[in-house]
Amino acid sequence: MSFENLFGYTATQFEIVLGVFTLTAAVFAAVLVYSLATAGSIAPRYRLTSYLTGVVMVSAVIELGLLALRWNGAFAWDGTAYTATGALFSNGFRYMNWSIDVPVLLTQLLIVAGITGAAFRKRWASFVIAGLAMIWTGYAGQFDEVNGGAAFWVWGAISTVFYLWLLYIAWQTIRDAKAAAPNPVIRRLFGAVWILFLVSWTIYPLAYLMPQISATVGGVVSRNLIYSFADIASKAVYGILLAVIAQKLSAARGYQPAIEAEEAFAEPAR
Ligand code: RET
């Protein structure tokens, strides 16, 4: 059971959580439109990243929308506070969403990094195995988050091993992408991808630990704000950043629609 169900909430606390879920879903819907609308200015070789952002956004809009409904159904206003209705709220749904989004986000990285052929297949397989093993072992552990017993810690530790493996492959991939970058701007942008990746992904294990750090109403509200922050950073901002890099790589390779799209931001010719 998720520790959200242990508490009652003031109107403010309840609304902040519901509001952040709604905002997050709305951000994903907006980025869905952005990524489909800008796909045409990216060379075919990199364009799949835009459509994959679309896949991530659709799955995340559905997940956040359903989470908002679950939150709304799990607590009801009794005249003084929002108290449990008996219908349980569950963060387990997040793990199901990650099962789609994590492999897709990692595939996008390989595409924009320009990894091809046998190297692509090898890294893709490692990414998918490490990612799914990380999520599903963490899923097993989160059932024990209220007790914080052995299952919580052991599954969490196993999950962390897979996470470190995944991080290592991501680091290798970004290092290769930087080495192959056609100009310093693109090299710097890949550096930004690494920071964004490391920070936003590492927030998830912290959210996993939250019931042990602070088993309070404040802990619940902050965990859900933290999750949404991480979701927006690791899916939406990341998707946009990869699209920007893909467009710059396309322009550097002489792809005309990318060059024309870049002109909109160029200094006017004198
Ligand atoms: C778990 C369990 C505890 C240990 C670790 C975890 C890592 C989770 C991560 C999730 C990333 C999710 C993303 C979703 C985007 O859609 C499973 C919480 C290390 C890194 C990026």
Side-chain angles (χ1 to χ4, degrees):
M1 176 166 93
S2 298
F3 88 138
E4 278 78 358
N5 300 300
L6 301 179
F7 306 100
Y9 301 91
T10 65
T12 308
Q13 289 159 343
F14 177 86
E15 267 188 39
I16 288 176
V17 174
L18 189 57
V20 168
F21 288 165
T22 314
L23 169 71
T24 310
V27 168
F28 294 153
V31 173
L32 173 64
V33 175
Y34 166 88
S35 64
L36 298 183
T38 55
S41 64
I42 294 174
R45 160 179 188 165
Y46 303 111
R47 193 173 298 157
L48 187 56
T49 188
S50 296
Y51 298 135
L52 291 179
T53 294
V55 170
V56 170
M57 293 301 115
V58 169
S59 111
V61 167
I62 293 173
E63 186 240 348
L64 261 296
L66 290 178
L67 224 46
L69 291 178
R70 291 279 294 208
W71 179 259
N72 206 34
F75 308 100
W77 184 247
D78 70 2
T80 46
Y82 276 95
T83 51
T85 58
L88 292 182
F89 177 79
S90 169
N91 273 306
F93 290 98
R94 293 186 182 275
Y95 291 69
M96 299 300 114
N97 165 258
W98 302 343
S99 303
I100 299 173
D101 289 356
V102 162
V104 174
L105 293 169
L106 295 169
T107 307
Q108 287 180 267
L109 185 63
L110 292 174
I111 292 169
V112 178
I115 313 287
T116 55
F120 180 96
R121 286 191 292 277
K122 188 162 169 278
R123 278 194 202 173
W124 186 82
S126 307
F127 266 155
V128 173
I129 294 168
L132 293 180
M134 169 189 86
I135 295 164
W136 294 342
T137 51
Y139 182 66
Q142 59 87 37
F143 284 111
D144 198 31
E145 73 172 26
V146 170
N147 297 327
F152 177 85
W153 293 105
V154 173
W155 285 121
I158 298 174
S159 172
T160 304
V161 173
F162 287 113
Y163 179 48
L164 294 176
W165 179 30
L166 182 160
L167 268 187
Y168 175 66
I169 310 167
W171 175 80
Q172 272 185 326
T173 302
I174 293 171
R175 181 202 58 193
D176 294 351
K178 279 166 106 172
N183 62 51
V185 174
I186 295 176
R187 203 167 309 130
R188 271 201 299 279
L189 287 172
F190 273 118
V193 172
W194 172 241
I195 307 283
L196 176 69
F197 192 97
L198 191 62
V199 172
S200 63
W201 284 53
T202 303
I203 291 174
Y204 291 91
L206 298 179
Y208 178 92
L209 283 177
M210 194 56 124
Q212 314 315 323
I213 298 170
S214 174
T216 61
V217 174
V220 168
V221 175
S222 16
R223 170 156 87 170
N224 285 287
L225 298 189
I226 289 170
Y227 264 139
S228 277
F229 174 83
D231 273 349
I232 291 175
S234 71
K235 304 187 226 247
V237 177
Y238 173 86
I240 293 172
L241 184 55
L242 289 186
V244 168
I245 295 177
Q247 193 186 74
K248 290 197 183 299
L249 285 167
S250 307
R253 292 173 153 258
Y255 185 67
Q256 201 55 36
I259 294 169
E260 285 174 25
E262 294 236 303
E263 278 167 6
F265 302 100
E267 296 301 325
R270 288 195 218 190

